Amino acid sequence: MGKRGSRGRSLLLGTLTKKQKKHLRDFGEEHPFYDRVSRKDAKPQICQLSESSDTSHSDSESESEQEHVSGYNKLLASLKNVSEEEEDEEEEEEEEGSVVDDAEVSDGGGGEDASVEGETAAEPAETQGGKSADLEGKDWEEPPGSSQKSAEEFTDDKHESLFSLETNFLEEECRDSCSWKASQGLWGHVNSGAGGSCAGSCSWPILGQIVFSSKFQKMETFKPPKDVDLKSLHLQKLLQSTWTKTNSQFLPGPQKPNSPFTLLQKELFLIMNSYRDLFYPERTALKNGEEIRHVYCLHVINHVLKANAQVLANNSRRRSQKLGVGEDDDLRDQGLTRPKVLIVVPFREAALRVVQVFISLLEGDSQKKIIVSNKKRFQGEYGSDPEERPPNLKRPEDYEAMFVGNIDDHFRIGVAILQRSIRLYAPFYSSDILIASPLGLRTIIGGEGEKKRDFDFLSSIELLVIDQADVYLMQNWEHVLHLMNHMNLLPLDSHGVDFSRVRMWSLNNWSKYYRQTLLFGALQDAQINSLFNKYCINTQGQVAVRNVPMTGSISHVLVQLPHVFQRMETQDLASVIDARFNFFTNKILPQYRDAVMSHTLIYVPSYFDFVRLRNYFKKEELNFTHICEYTSKSGVSRARHFFLQGEKQFLLLTERFHFYKRYTIKGIRNLVFYELPTYPHFYSEVCNMLRASHRGEEATWTCTVLYSKYDAQRLAAVVGVERAAQMLQSPKSVHLFITGEK
């Protein structure tokens, strides 16, 4: 009867126009203009009244009115349901059709098309209070070797109650191991009073020169650690036993059981465990990248286990009603949303390694395997096939270490951790840890004016880890700035949170002052320094490693080459771009227009400068070709061939193309650095490309570098800090250095 009745209502509504449906929905009846008049006379119907009709006249009228109203309500309700279903279908069609083009959102990603993230399709992402938050997109590609399956396979609804912090309690056997009361290192800085700003510096054995500062309190002078005891670090008991095995690959030999850290890890973890902001600009993929990844993963897991154990313990206290007078504030142990940690990494391979470290830290030597939901899907989407990489591809060692595995830069995944279980692909509002790339977060956060956007999951982030920050300069730095502008804002929706459990400083919109930020990169760049100084305002203070390079990458140049550094004068930082362009077009370029100065490579770090130079060369009708990260393979081959054969006098080359490809450009005789490279070792790599040219032409080789006083950091990284200081202070604007084989 239900199907037949719904079919009849749908047929009835199908005969109405949109205006009739609107009038029926607003006024409960059809418009008189559309009344149906039957051509045939209706047959009279004889109704027999009961004997008690006189006595029950009022009752019968009320009953008939109720029956009439109920019929109207059914019809009106069916009309509203149909209209809502139509709106839902239209929204679903819009969502399916609105695929974000990676080339529009990302600044190229190195010229390679980043595949759209394959995430849970229409996943009912339950929030802390049970509300849905569909943050996961549709699966665009199935992982290799998997068959076409339904989207409901990875909604992971069966694990929602298992990983819920609201409905679970602390197990009796875990109370001692969790020791939530003894977590002084977790929120010991919350009640620290403000005592004025301060700054200072000191030297540590491994980190070197560090600069510490605070805007809210006076900091004691940092002293390098001597012997670190695991008990003094307030690690969870589980991590004290698993960390030694997980970190054994980095330990040179047999270590003491109480100090299973390398010298670098020991100094870094001491700063992390004090919950101060940290900037370490000497993280390289070839040397200490994995070593640093393990130590910040230990800090993340320790933080999450302590925070969740505190919530579960308070759940038990609340259930047993063992609360005294005025102890309600002790239950304020949560933020406005559940996600506590955000780890930003550039590639899927980095996310895969982070999750593998998490599993290793929770598993350890225990014979009982931990529960890892959706592990097979995760390995399929974030892993890589070794056969996909060309076997004869020869690249520098740092390139091989950075671009190993799956290098897709568009992804995001939620991870929920509860005691000894891990839930991968958890909905964002049911996750403890979020692992994503800047592009993956940018497509969710959206921009002003976009209809579908969400950034409430960033409102209660307590620990932010930005790993390999230098890579984002080659991807799109605007995505990182856009992310930082949306960190720790008050959410637009409550998401079912229990406000009696929310910390007061979260309700007061002070979360950004209690967020710890760990920033790791391979170089000291002005944009990275600006991000650290502007957005890292932790009440505990900030610690930055500031070591100055003594030699510079120019010492690695192996060819005999004169290096001419020409300083351009600028009034302020805003006028540097125009001053560099005018200086190049008026003083540098005329020297190379002669046919004798052929085979000139112009190295341009900024893509915007590259476009400006390309348009100028076209306007002046110069004989040139160009290669950038958006150039096709055939275009790159033609440009390299024309430049080698001398058919094109100039070759414009972008730094991002060199970063992602590392091709050796043959035929270079004259080299011009339009700006100092972002990576110092790129300077020596490009200069050493002259060795690929024919022998006997060394006497005609030239190298010209443009710089200003605002390029002090990049200049010191290339020529060394002492030479850079002399060049910037000298009244001479031209400086010559000669390198060559002995």
Side-chain angles (χ1 to χ4, degrees):
M1 291 297 293
K3 293 183 178 179
R4 186 177 302 172
S6 61
R7 183 180 304 174
R9 288 193 299 269
S10 62
L11 292 175
L12 176 61
L13 294 174
T15 60
L16 301 179
T17 63
K18 292 184 178 180
K19 292 184 178 180
Q20 292 173 341
K21 291 180 181 179
K22 184 177 184 302
H23 190 275
L24 178 60
R25 184 170 58 249
D26 296 340
F27 300 96
E29 61 179 8
E30 293 187 48
H31 196 278
F33 180 80
Y34 300 104
D35 286 344
R36 296 180 177 85
V37 181
S38 177
R39 295 183 179 180
K40 297 183 180 180
D41 296 333
K43 295 182 180 180
Q45 296 181 357
I46 301 175
C47 298
Q48 295 182 357
L49 300 176
S50 60
E51 295 179 357
S52 59
S53 60
D54 295 337
T55 57
S56 61
H57 178 70
S58 59
D59 296 336
S60 63
E61 280 186 355
S62 62
E63 291 177 0
S64 63
E65 288 178 0
Q66 291 177 0
E67 292 178 357
H68 177 69
V69 172
S70 63
Y72 152 70
N73 285 336
K74 290 181 180 179
L75 181 62
L76 186 59
S78 64
L79 179 63
K80 291 183 178 180
N81 292 335
V82 170
S83 62
E84 291 175 357
E85 290 176 0
E86 292 176 354
E87 292 177 358
D88 294 339
E89 291 177 358
E90 291 177 359
E91 291 179 358
E92 291 177 359
E93 291 175 359
E94 291 178 358
E95 293 174 3
E96 293 178 358
S98 60
V99 181
V100 180
D101 188 6
D102 190 14
E104 295 178 358
V105 180
S106 176
D107 194 9
E112 297 179 3
D113 293 334
S115 60
V116 180
E117 164 66 1
E119 300 202 343
T120 309
E123 178 174 339
E126 297 184 11
T127 62
Q128 284 188 335
K131 292 188 178 182
S132 62
D134 295 324
L135 289 178
E136 307 297 337
K138 187 176 180 179
D139 282 338
W140 298 102
E141 292 181 359
E142 287 292 319
S146 64
S147 59
Q148 193 71 19
K149 299 180 182 179
S150 61
E152 298 179 356
E153 181 179 357
F154 300 108
T155 54
D156 207 11
D157 291 335
K158 63 179 181 180
H159 294 130
E160 188 67 26
S161 60
L162 178 63
F163 289 87
S164 175
L165 291 179
E166 287 76 18
T167 58
N168 283 280
F169 304 93
L170 195 64
E171 298 179 1
E172 295 293 336
E173 59 183 5
C174 298
R175 289 182 186 273
D176 297 335
S177 62
C178 291
S179 64
W180 62 276
K181 290 184 179 180
S183 59
Q184 291 90 349
L186 180 60
W187 296 116
H189 66 284
V190 172
N191 297 323
S192 58
S197 61
C198 67
S201 63
C202 62
S203 179
W204 282 21
I206 305 300
L207 294 180
Q209 190 73 16
I210 64 172
V211 177
F212 54 90
S213 60
S214 177
K215 299 179 181 179
F216 300 96
Q217 62 180 350
K218 294 183 178 180
M219 298 174 57
E220 298 180 357
T221 303
F222 266 163
K223 296 181 180 180
K226 296 180 180 179
D227 293 332
V228 178
D229 187 6
L230 288 178
K231 295 182 180 180
S232 63
L233 298 177
H234 305 292
L235 286 177
Q236 295 288 73
K237 188 176 181 180
L238 170 65
L239 299 179
Q240 294 180 13
S241 60
T242 60
W243 170 247
T244 304
K245 179 183 177 182
T246 303
N247 199 49
S248 60
Q249 56 181 317
F250 305 108
L251 302 177
Q255 296 287 323
K256 298 179 181 180
N258 292 333
S259 59
F261 292 92
T262 64
L263 297 178
L264 175 62
Q265 288 177 338
K266 182 170 61 175
E267 295 185 0
L268 287 177
F269 190 77
L270 182 67
I271 300 175
M272 294 179 189
N273 205 37
S274 64
Y275 281 86
R276 293 177 172 89
D277 296 330
L278 172 63
F279 175 36
Y280 182 70
E282 299 177 8
R283 185 254 191 234
T284 58
L286 190 60
K287 295 181 180 179
N288 54 13
E290 292 302 315
E291 187 179 351
I292 294 175
R293 178 178 286 122
H294 275 66
V295 73
Y296 75 65
C297 285
L298 172 66
H299 181 56
V300 167
I301 290 294
N302 187 43
H303 178 85
V304 171
L305 290 180
K306 284 182 178 180
N308 288 350
Q310 187 174 4
V311 173
L312 298 180
N314 286 338
N315 290 345
S316 302
R317 293 176 61 198
R318 195 173 188 178
R319 180 179 60 174
S320 60
Q321 298 296 329
K322 295 180 180 180
L323 298 177
V325 179
E327 294 184 359
D328 292 342
D329 290 341
D330 295 340
L331 297 181
R332 295 188 178 274
D333 49 15
Q334 302 177 18
L336 293 169
T337 53
R338 179 171 174 176
K340 308 172 184 64
V341 180
L342 173 62
I343 302 177
V344 183
V345 289
F347 305 117
R348 284 179 181 259
E349 175 67 20
L352 175 66
R353 296 187 180 187
V354 167
V355 174
Q356 289 175 347
V357 176
F358 288 165
I359 296 175
S360 178
L361 286 173
L362 294 178
E363 200 169 61
D365 296 329
S366 177
Q367 297 179 355
K368 183 179 179 182
K369 299 294 182 180
I370 64 173
I371 300 174
V372 182
S373 60
N374 304 322
K375 184 177 180 180
K376 185 176 181 181
R377 180 197 180 195
F378 176 74
Q379 292 177 346
E381 293 185 357
Y382 285 76
S384 61
D385 188 1
E387 298 180 356
E388 295 179 356
R389 195 172 187 84
N392 298 327
L393 189 62
K394 295 182 180 180
R395 294 291 184 270
E397 293 181 354
D398 64 302
Y399 180 89
E400 297 290 345
M402 180 176 295
F403 293 100
V404 65
N406 193 336
I407 58 172
D408 179 25
D409 63 347
H410 186 193
F411 62 91
R412 52 187 176 268
I413 184 173
V415 181
I417 296 178
L418 197 62
Q419 297 174 5
R420 296 181 65 90
S421 302
I422 297 180
R423 180 190 182 194
L424 302 177
Y425 293 96
F428 272 19
Y429 290 100
S430 299
S431 302
D432 297 303
I433 304 172
L434 306 179
I435 308 174
S437 65
L439 177 60
L441 292 172
R442 179 65 174 83
T443 53
I444 288 184
I445 297 175
E448 296 183 2
E450 294 185 12
K451 190 173 183 181
K452 185 178 180 182
R453 56 181 309 205
D454 189 4
F455 49 86
D456 289 352
F457 56 88
L458 301 173
S459 61
S460 299
I461 296 296
E462 303 161 1
L463 179 56
L464 172 63
V465 180
I466 302 179
D467 198 6
Q468 296 178 264
D470 53 288
V471 180
Y472 309 135
L473 297 173
M474 299 292 107
Q475 291 180 346
N476 195 333
W477 187 251
E478 293 296 329
H479 295 338
V480 181
L481 299 179
H482 191 74
L483 167 65
M484 299 304 296
N485 288 328
H486 290 82
M487 290 293 300
N488 298 112
L489 300 179
L490 288 177
L492 302 179
D493 191 7
S494 63
H495 299 284
V497 66
D498 184 3
F499 287 98
S500 64
R501 301 287 295 272
V502 179
R503 304 182 189 92
M504 291 305 300
W505 46 266
S506 293
L507 297 175
N508 293 332
N509 196 20
W510 294 345
S511 298
K512 60 183 178 181
Y513 300 109
Y514 295 96
R515 182 193 74 233
Q516 183 187 25
T517 304
L518 305 178
L519 186 60
F520 302 100
L523 50 89
Q524 294 193 23
D525 188 81
Q527 299 181 79
I528 302 178
N529 293 336
S530 175
L531 182 142
F532 183 76
N533 296 330
K534 180 178 180 180
Y535 295 100
C536 298
I537 49 178
N538 190 355
T539 57
Q540 283 295 93
Q542 295 75 38
V543 178
V545 178
R546 304 292 186 187
N547 293 322
V548 294
M550 301 305 297
T551 57
S553 61
I554 195 173
S555 60
H556 299 149
V557 178
L558 304 178
V559 296
Q560 185 176 358
L561 182 67
H563 305 262
V564 179
F565 289 80
Q566 297 199 14
R567 187 179 67 217
M568 54 183 183
E569 302 299 334
T570 56
Q571 296 180 354
D572 50 18
L573 183 60
S575 62
V576 170
I577 298 177
D578 293 333
R580 179 179 287 109
F581 178 77
N582 296 329
F583 186 84
F584 175 80
T585 56
N586 296 330
K587 295 185 178 182
I588 304 299
L589 188 58
Q591 303 175 13
Y592 292 88
R593 288 203 176 193
D594 193 352
V596 179
M597 305 294 290
S598 61
H599 297 272
T600 300
L601 173 67
I602 303 176
Y603 182 90
V604 187
S606 173
Y607 180 77
F608 301 104
D609 292 335
F610 166 80
V611 173
R612 189 174 186 179
L613 288 176
R614 184 188 60 189
N615 296 339
Y616 178 81
F617 277 36
K618 288 182 179 180
K619 181 180 178 181
E620 296 294 325
E621 298 181 353
L622 297 178
N623 185 21
F624 81 103
T625 184
H626 57 85
I627 299 177
C628 68
E629 56 271 21
Y630 302 108
T631 307
S632 61
K633 291 184 179 180
S634 59
V636 173
S637 300
R638 287 194 301 268
R640 296 175 66 187
H641 174 74
F642 292 154
F643 183 72
L644 176 62
Q645 298 299 326
E647 299 180 15
K648 299 295 183 180
Q649 182 178 358
F650 297 97
L651 172 61
L652 296 178
L653 181 71
T654 62
E655 184 177 60
R656 289 179 59 189
F657 175 83
H658 181 70
F659 174 80
Y660 282 98
K661 299 299 182 182
R662 299 290 183 91
Y663 288 172
T664 299
I665 307 299
K666 298 181 180 180
I668 304 175
R669 298 179 185 175
N670 303 290
L671 185 59
V672 178
F673 284 91
Y674 186 78
E675 184 182 1
L676 286 165
T678 304
Y679 287 89
H681 64 277
F682 282 2
Y683 183 86
S684 58
E685 283 186 7
V686 176
C687 290
N688 290 330
M689 288 183 185
L690 276 73
R691 293 190 299 173
S693 303
H694 299 289
R695 293 293 180 179
E697 301 173 351
E698 291 85 352
T700 61
W701 290 347
T702 63
C703 178
T704 304
V705 185
L706 277 67
Y707 73 97
S708 68
K709 61 181 180 181
Y710 298 103
D711 299 326
Q713 284 185 329
R714 295 188 180 185
L715 183 63
V718 172
V719 301
V721 62
E722 295 182 358
R723 286 182 178 178
Q726 295 175 0
M727 294 168 61
L728 293 174
Q729 296 175 2
S730 174
K732 297 181 180 180
S733 60
V734 180
H735 299 270
L736 175 63
F737 302 98
I738 299 178
T739 59
E741 300 176 353
K742 295 182 180 180

